[in-house]
Amino acid sequence: MAVRRFSRRRSERTPSLKASAAGKRKLILDAAVKVFARKGYYGCRVSDIADEAKVAYGLVYHYFKSKEDVLNSIFQERWTVFIELLRQLEKLEAPLADKLTRIAGALLDAYRLNPEMMEVVIMEIARNAKFFDKANIDLFTQAMGVIERMMAREAAEGHLRRSVPPRVAAYLFFSSIEALLTGFVVGAFTARSPGEQAHLRDQVVEVFLKGIQA
Amino acid sequence: MAVRRFSRRRSERTPSLKASAAGKRKLILDAAVKVFARKGYYGCRVSDIADEAKVAYGLVYHYFKSKEDVLNSIFQERWTVFIELLRQLEKLEAPLADKLTRIAGALLDAYRLNPEMMEVVIMEIARNAKFFDKANIDLFTQAMGVIERMMAREAAEGHLRRSVPPRVAAYLFFSSIEALLTGFVVGAFTARSPGEQAHLRDQVVEVFLKGIQA
Amino acid sequence: MAVRRFSRRRSERTPSLKASAAGKRKLILDAAVKVFARKGYYGCRVSDIADEAKVAYGLVYHYFKSKEDVLNSIFQERWTVFIELLRQLEKLEAPLADKLTRIAGALLDAYRLNPEMMEVVIMEIARNAKFFDKANIDLFTQAMGVIERMMAREAAEGHLRRSVPPRVAAYLFFSSIEALLTGFVVGAFTARSPGEQAHLRDQVVEVFLKGIQA
Amino acid sequence: MAVRRFSRRRSERTPSLKASAAGKRKLILDAAVKVFARKGYYGCRVSDIADEAKVAYGLVYHYFKSKEDVLNSIFQERWTVFIELLRQLEKLEAPLADKLTRIAGALLDAYRLNPEMMEVVIMEIARNAKFFDKANIDLFTQAMGVIERMMAREAAEGHLRRSVPPRVAAYLFFSSIEALLTGFVVGAFTARSPGEQAHLRDQVVEVFLKGIQA
DNA sequence: AATGAATGAGGGTTCATTCAT
DNA sequence: CATGAATGAACCCTCATTCAT
């Protein structure tokens, strides 16, 4: 119904269910994610994004300042969501194990649902950081900061080995999950079913926790 | 033929007094490392490399087929050295802890001596794997394979928790070290003195081992 | 038909209370004058004009066929007015000195009231003549023609030196005034008060007349 | 002979007498003059310049920073030459009439030899001044300054009417010549033979001098 | 009449690579 | 070996214009 209201005033150019109006922006972002994942940021042309989104070339520049702005927008919107999740988990009264399991689960779920997105958003930022907008590094640092506070709290309760600073713990945890994603990407291991994936998730969290616990 | 051409690269083309032949090639590679690290592979021009090496940019094309060939040469030479190290450690009769400590130590030393090199060589490969020469991925996979065999051997001796497959363990270990490097790069932590660095190295190895041990 | 369409531009399309119809058109033209003067014809975008006029840029295309049409409209409306003035002066029974003084005065007055307009309308035409609509050159030529006839009449009465053809005289006179405007634009001289301006005007006319008189 | 020395080392791509090495820069500038005059600065593409010069597209960017830089280079090199001429005339012990005749003659000669050049260099600067590099306005102002000093000297000797400030006189003189050029360009008058041209030159100088003399 | 989203050709610029010397 | 002039394809971005509402 909603669709009809939007799409039927006059004839549609293509009868596909294209999002109208403001939806175009999202259409472009989604297309960009696919294209960046497929060919890399530098390996694709802006026209690839437009083609994938089935919009005119120029429209990309209607919504974004530049190709880089498209990438930054993806980064920032995704990381903002992720940081929001972290902040909610931080508030929770629950064992660290549960929180970390949920963080890992969220990232792996996201990967299962949209692997390209995660390749672009997780695997590029930590490393290309230096070459991108400072805002991106800030978001990464913020996220690590929240995880660090979770670790610090656990440490304060005496559950962490004293030799492991919370910040190091945070980086190690995040990199563990990255390791899984890297493994998926290079085909070192797979997890087709949600069950397998949950298993892998639990392994990683367990290894990490055993590693840092007092 | 191909082999011959390859071996020429390493030996001198002319046994003249000058170190210029092989010397210039190394000059260019070293310059490339710096420039790639500073501006990224895509962010720099071939002439930037030549400028840094203080040679004419036409010369880059005497020693390398293309800009990408420069990058691949760096990757391959470094990873070949690293894999050689891994293979020697693999043969050693020593506790896993020692071996891993030496691996981590070697990588962190290399980072201290030439941070740009490691940023380029370690941090680019996992991520950009997909877009690079298959040969690079092979090297990465080989290296992981050696570490995996170390883990498998330890598992065979019953020292590893059964829930952690050797391959996952290998990736987790490598990613731990990467986490440190990432931390250095984004400035989350520093280790100016060799002492601090050794400390960090031991923490990471300890956390990892505690995490995976039975 | 064409005539009708043209005349509509001047009269109101709808005789409603609003001055919006014709008003908006003038709004856009005035804005265009400012913007052309500020950034040049090629240096501005249609949206700059619309922004200056505070209308949506689609509206520019209601009133004008194209960006060039906006420029041509300005040219033509202004030059038509100027030619009209020249024709009225031509009919007058008065000494050439008076006529030229009034021409120069009119142009300098116009400059004082709307310098941007004159920069666009006077200073662009001679130069860019070649690249513009032929209609614009025709107007320029017409205007020069009227002045030339004034000169010819004076010559016929024996007041002009014989060595100076009326057409050359016309061009020299017009260029004298242009010289003043150029001087204003580059800041070589100023004439803030109407008095100073009238003085400058008289100097120029005097120099010109002394130059051509028999 | 000189040609042979340069052009015959290996086979030429085209057997035309193309200037080699540093001559390419001049080749491009000369082509740019033609193209700018023919289609206007904004009306031509950089590739038009390259085509006209019969060089590869990219070579333009080997010698010039940008399209605008090409234009500025033309302006500056020509105006520098013109200013040099003015400075030499300034030093001369000769009646003003002679000096002005030589200035006008030089400009008209230049126009006859290379009309496109003069259209670009003389007719664009005075007006587009505002939109171009400040350096261009400076050159224009410098040139006017030299002429102004010539006028001032004449005034000091009591030969100029007191009502005409030297600076105004300088602008009027320059604009007189511009008027001739404009007339040529719009086809209002022609001067095919050097004789006709000299005649026109003398008329203009005479009119100007009679106009300003005491 | 008025809006501004959508279109897409056009063109400036970059830069990897080749080549003549 | 070494140089850097020369080449030209590739690609980002701009912006005049159209169109649906």
Side-chain angles (χ1 to χ4, degrees):
Chain A
M1 297 300 126
V3 171
R4 209 191 220 149
R5 239 193 300 143
F6 281 109
S7 63
R8 284 290 159 75
R9 280 286 154 78
R10 302 220 168 184
S11 67
E12 283 243 79
R13 201 166 299 245
T14 53
S16 74
L17 40 103
K18 57 159 70 165
S20 64
K24 289 287 174 73
R25 199 189 118 97
K26 185 162 166 25
L27 215 54
I28 291 168
L29 283 178
D30 290 345
V33 164
K34 286 206 185 67
V35 171
F36 287 157
R38 189 156 60 233
K39 313 173 87 168
Y41 175 74
Y42 290 105
C44 77
R45 295 169 296 184
V46 173
S47 70
D48 293 331
I49 299 173
D51 289 350
E52 177 78 35
K54 299 208 202 299
V55 300
Y57 196 115
L59 199 62
V60 175
Y61 289 88
H62 192 75
Y63 290 105
F64 303 94
K65 275 205 319 292
S66 65
K67 186 184 178 186
E68 193 184 329
D69 187 34
V70 176
L71 183 61
N72 286 337
S73 297
I74 295 171
F75 272 149
Q76 279 165 38
E77 294 181 11
R78 289 299 102 191
W79 278 83
T80 302
V81 169
F82 180 52
I83 290 171
E84 187 48 35
L85 168 72
L86 291 178
R87 293 219 163 103
Q88 303 216 329
L89 289 177
E90 191 188 9
K91 280 185 251 162
L92 239 59
E93 284 304 324
L96 182 64
D98 287 6
K99 292 179 182 176
L100 297 187
T101 301
R102 287 181 63 178
I103 295 172
L107 292 174
L108 290 171
D109 279 352
Y111 183 79
R112 186 161 39 84
L113 294 172
N114 195 348
E116 296 98 342
M117 173 71 85
M118 293 309 272
E119 284 174 35
V120 171
V121 156
I122 296 291
M123 317 209 45
E124 299 242 349
I125 191 151
R127 330 201 195 199
N128 277 325
K130 207 163 49 165
F131 311 126
F132 286 141
D133 199 304
K134 192 181 170 312
N136 294 333
I137 311 184
D138 287 347
L139 287 171
F140 176 73
T141 310
Q142 266 180 52
M144 290 302 118
V146 182
I147 302 182
E148 186 183 336
R149 286 202 300 272
M150 291 184 189
M151 300 295 177
R153 187 171 159 189
E154 195 77 356
E157 294 172 9
H159 300 145
L160 243 65
R161 206 128 30 78
R162 318 192 84 227
S163 66
V164 187
R167 177 167 295 176
V168 173
Y171 273 79
L172 286 176
F173 173 66
F174 187 76
S175 82
S176 295
I177 300 165
E178 250 191 300
L180 283 190
L181 300 185
T182 301
F184 290 150
V185 170
V186 301
F189 25 88
T190 51
R192 293 195 204 287
S193 69
E196 279 181 285
Q197 186 194 292
H199 187 61
L200 218 39
R201 175 199 66 197
D202 293 340
Q203 278 172 10
V204 167
V205 172
E206 190 192 0
V207 167
F208 174 75
L209 281 173
K210 281 240 175 1
I212 60 164
Q213 271 161 358
Chain B
M1 283 318 224
V3 172
R4 210 192 220 152
R5 246 196 299 137
F6 188 70
S7 62
R8 279 230 188 137
R9 274 198 190 153
R10 336 215 122 220
S11 64
E12 289 252 44
R13 207 168 291 244
T14 53
S16 76
L17 301 176
K18 294 186 182 181
S20 55
K24 286 281 173 71
R25 182 173 188 277
K26 183 157 171 19
L27 214 55
I28 292 169
L29 282 178
D30 289 347
V33 164
K34 286 207 185 67
V35 171
F36 288 158
R38 189 157 60 232
K39 315 173 81 169
Y41 175 72
Y42 290 104
C44 76
R45 301 173 292 185
V46 172
S47 69
D48 291 332
I49 299 173
D51 287 352
E52 178 77 34
K54 299 204 199 302
V55 299
Y57 63 84
L59 196 61
V60 174
Y61 287 88
H62 264 284
Y63 293 103
F64 304 94
K65 274 206 317 291
S66 65
K67 184 184 178 186
E68 195 185 328
D69 187 33
V70 176
L71 183 61
N72 286 338
S73 297
I74 295 171
F75 271 147
Q76 281 167 36
E77 294 182 11
R78 288 301 102 191
W79 279 83
T80 301
V81 168
F82 180 52
I83 290 170
E84 188 50 34
L85 168 72
L86 291 178
R87 291 217 164 105
Q88 301 210 332
L89 289 177
E90 191 187 8
K91 281 184 249 164
L92 237 59
E93 283 305 325
L96 183 63
D98 288 5
K99 293 179 181 176
L100 298 187
T101 302
R102 288 182 60 178
I103 296 172
L107 293 174
L108 289 172
D109 278 352
Y111 183 79
R112 186 160 40 85
L113 294 173
N114 195 347
E116 296 99 341
M117 172 73 82
M118 293 308 273
E119 285 173 34
V120 171
V121 157
I122 297 289
M123 316 205 49
E124 297 243 348
I125 192 148
R127 164 189 30 169
N128 289 323
K130 213 162 45 167
F131 311 126
F132 281 150
D133 199 306
K134 194 180 170 312
N136 295 332
I137 311 183
D138 286 348
L139 286 171
F140 177 73
T141 311
Q142 266 180 53
M144 289 302 119
V146 181
I147 303 181
E148 185 182 337
R149 284 202 302 274
M150 291 182 189
M151 300 293 178
R153 188 169 159 190
E154 194 77 355
E157 295 172 9
H159 301 145
L160 241 67
R161 205 128 28 79
R162 314 191 88 230
S163 66
V164 186
R167 177 168 296 177
V168 173
Y171 272 80
L172 287 177
F173 174 66
F174 188 75
S175 81
S176 294
I177 300 165
E178 252 191 301
L180 284 191
L181 299 185
T182 302
F184 289 150
V185 171
V186 302
F189 26 87
T190 51
R192 294 195 204 285
S193 70
E196 280 180 285
Q197 187 194 292
H199 187 60
L200 217 39
R201 175 198 67 196
D202 294 339
Q203 280 173 7
V204 166
V205 172
E206 190 193 0
V207 167
F208 174 74
L209 281 172
K210 283 247 182 343
I212 61 164
Q213 274 162 354
Chain C
M1 280 316 218
V3 173
R4 207 191 221 153
R5 246 198 294 138
F6 188 72
S7 65
R8 279 232 186 136
R9 273 197 191 155
R10 335 218 122 221
S11 65
E12 289 254 41
R13 207 166 291 246
T14 52
S16 76
L17 300 177
K18 293 183 184 185
S20 55
K24 286 283 171 71
R25 182 174 187 278
K26 182 157 172 20
L27 215 54
I28 291 168
L29 282 177
D30 290 347
V33 164
K34 285 206 185 70
V35 171
F36 288 157
R38 191 157 58 233
K39 315 172 80 167
Y41 176 73
Y42 290 105
C44 77
R45 299 174 292 187
V46 173
S47 68
D48 292 332
I49 300 173
D51 288 352
E52 179 76 34
K54 299 206 201 296
V55 300
Y57 63 83
L59 197 61
V60 174
Y61 287 89
H62 264 283
Y63 292 104
F64 305 93
K65 274 206 318 291
S66 65
K67 185 184 177 185
E68 196 184 329
D69 186 33
V70 176
L71 182 61
N72 286 337
S73 297
I74 294 171
F75 271 144
Q76 282 168 37
E77 295 183 10
R78 288 299 103 190
W79 278 83
T80 302
V81 169
F82 181 52
I83 289 170
E84 187 49 35
L85 168 71
L86 291 178
R87 293 216 163 105
Q88 302 212 333
L89 289 177
E90 191 187 8
K91 280 183 249 160
L92 238 59
E93 284 304 328
L96 183 63
D98 287 5
K99 293 181 182 175
L100 298 186
T101 302
R102 286 184 61 180
I103 296 173
L107 292 174
L108 289 172
D109 278 352
Y111 183 79
R112 186 163 38 87
L113 293 173
N114 195 348
E116 296 98 342
M117 171 73 82
M118 293 310 272
E119 286 175 32
V120 171
V121 156
I122 296 290
M123 317 205 49
E124 297 243 347
I125 192 147
R127 164 192 28 170
N128 289 324
K130 212 163 44 168
F131 312 126
F132 281 149
D133 199 306
K134 191 178 171 316
N136 294 332
I137 309 183
D138 286 349
L139 287 170
F140 177 72
T141 310
Q142 266 179 53
M144 288 303 119
V146 182
I147 302 181
E148 185 182 335
R149 285 201 302 274
M150 292 182 187
M151 300 296 177
R153 187 170 159 191
E154 195 76 356
E157 296 173 7
H159 300 146
L160 242 65
R161 206 128 28 81
R162 315 192 86 230
S163 66
V164 186
R167 177 166 298 175
V168 172
Y171 272 80
L172 286 177
F173 174 66
F174 188 75
S175 82
S176 296
I177 300 166
E178 249 190 302
L180 284 192
L181 298 185
T182 300
F184 289 150
V185 170
V186 302
F189 26 88
T190 50
R192 292 194 205 288
S193 70
E196 282 180 284
Q197 187 193 293
H199 187 61
L200 219 39
R201 175 198 66 197
D202 294 340
Q203 280 172 8
V204 166
V205 172
E206 189 191 2
V207 168
F208 174 75
L209 281 173
K210 283 245 178 350
I212 62 164
Q213 274 162 357
Chain D
M1 293 306 123
V3 172
R4 209 193 221 147
R5 240 194 300 143
F6 281 109
S7 62
R8 282 290 160 75
R9 281 287 153 78
R10 300 219 172 188
S11 66
E12 282 241 82
R13 203 167 297 247
T14 53
S16 75
L17 42 105
K18 55 160 71 161
S20 64
K24 289 287 172 73
R25 200 190 117 96
K26 184 162 169 22
L27 216 55
I28 291 169
L29 283 178
D30 289 346
V33 164
K34 285 205 184 71
V35 171
F36 288 157
R38 189 156 60 235
K39 315 174 86 168
Y41 175 73
Y42 291 105
C44 78
R45 296 169 295 184
V46 173
S47 70
D48 293 332
I49 300 173
D51 288 351
E52 178 77 32
K54 298 210 203 297
V55 299
Y57 200 116
L59 199 62
V60 176
Y61 288 90
H62 193 75
Y63 290 104
F64 303 94
K65 275 206 319 292
S66 65
K67 186 184 179 185
E68 193 184 330
D69 186 34
V70 176
L71 183 60
N72 286 336
S73 297
I74 294 170
F75 272 149
Q76 281 165 38
E77 295 181 10
R78 288 300 102 190
W79 278 83
T80 302
V81 169
F82 181 52
I83 289 171
E84 188 48 34
L85 167 71
L86 292 179
R87 293 219 162 103
Q88 304 216 329
L89 288 177
E90 192 187 9
K91 279 183 252 162
L92 239 59
E93 284 304 327
L96 184 62
D98 288 5
K99 292 180 182 177
L100 297 186
T101 302
R102 288 181 62 178
I103 295 173
L107 292 174
L108 289 172
D109 279 351
Y111 182 79
R112 185 163 38 86
L113 294 173
N114 196 348
E116 296 98 342
M117 172 73 84
M118 293 311 272
E119 284 175 35
V120 171
V121 157
I122 296 292
M123 318 209 42
E124 298 244 346
I125 192 150
R127 333 200 192 201
N128 278 325
K130 205 164 52 166
F131 310 127
F132 286 142
D133 200 304
K134 193 181 171 311
N136 294 333
I137 311 183
D138 287 348
L139 287 171
F140 177 73
T141 310
Q142 266 179 54
M144 289 303 119
V146 182
I147 303 181
E148 183 182 337
R149 284 202 301 272
M150 292 183 188
M151 301 293 178
R153 189 170 157 189
E154 196 75 357
E157 296 173 7
H159 302 145
L160 244 65
R161 206 133 23 81
R162 317 193 88 232
S163 67
V164 186
R167 177 167 297 176
V168 172
Y171 272 80
L172 286 176
F173 173 66
F174 187 76
S175 82
S176 295
I177 301 165
E178 250 191 302
L180 283 192
L181 299 184
T182 301
F184 291 149
V185 171
V186 303
F189 24 89
T190 51
R192 293 197 204 285
S193 69
E196 281 181 283
Q197 187 194 291
H199 187 61
L200 217 39
R201 174 199 67 195
D202 293 340
Q203 279 175 7
V204 166
V205 172
E206 190 192 0
V207 167
F208 173 75
L209 281 173
K210 283 244 179 351
I212 62 164
Q213 273 161 357

